[in-house]
Amino acid sequence: MSAVTDVAPAPSAAALAHFEAQFAFETDCWDVHEALAGGSPDFVLLDVRGSDKYGSGHVPGALDLAHRKIIGSSIARYPDGTVFVVYCAGPHCNGAARAAIRLARLERPVKIMTGGIAGWLDEGFALSA
């Protein structure tokens, strides 16, 4: 038995529920790119890495709001129900998860853009400076 199969995979019904639920919490770079290209995204995209990194390059259309600065007053201008999509540097960074926690505590709908900047660049998409 290998380390892969040492723990048996979940039953199909549990796997289906798990993987379907992921879409409630995550989106990917391609879907964000397509929504932004459409010109009227139905979400607010937040770069949560910090102003220095934002200034060095960010996803076009993203707003600069470091995860530590996500508080009620910093998002008060957005109506209740506004969906926020957050991203950080990439899979090696937990800033997006920290931002998602803050937004969820403020009772705001939130998804993480998986892959972050690294994923965005891997897809071949350009950054804004």
Side-chain angles (χ1 to χ4, degrees):
M1 201 175 264
S2 72
V4 172
T5 60
D6 187 38
V7 174
S12 295
L16 178 61
H18 171 80
F19 293 118
E20 284 181 337
Q22 276 186 283
F23 290 108
F25 303 103
E26 301 174 357
T27 188
D28 67 10
C29 299
W30 189 271
D31 290 344
V32 169
H33 181 267
E34 290 297 307
L36 294 172
S40 297
D42 53 356
F43 57 89
V44 173
L45 183 61
L46 298 179
D47 181 319
V48 301
R49 299 173 300 150
S51 295
D52 289 345
K53 290 184 178 174
Y54 178 87
S56 295
H58 57 274
V59 173
L63 303 176
D64 176 21
L65 186 60
H67 65 83
R68 289 183 182 92
K69 295 181 179 180
I70 296 175
I71 56 175
S73 62
S74 66
I75 61 164
R77 65 183 168 148
Y78 301 102
D80 290 343
T82 299
V83 174
F84 292 91
V85 174
V86 297
Y87 71 86
C88 58
H92 58 283
C93 176
N94 66 12
R98 291 178 184 277
I101 288 169
R102 285 179 172 261
L103 286 160
R105 285 184 176 154
L106 293 168
E107 299 183 2
R108 296 305 194 111
V110 60
K111 290 186 175 193
I112 289 175
M113 183 181 82
T114 58
I117 286 287
W120 188 263
L121 294 171
D122 283 350
E123 292 287 357
F125 302 140
L127 298 177
S128 291

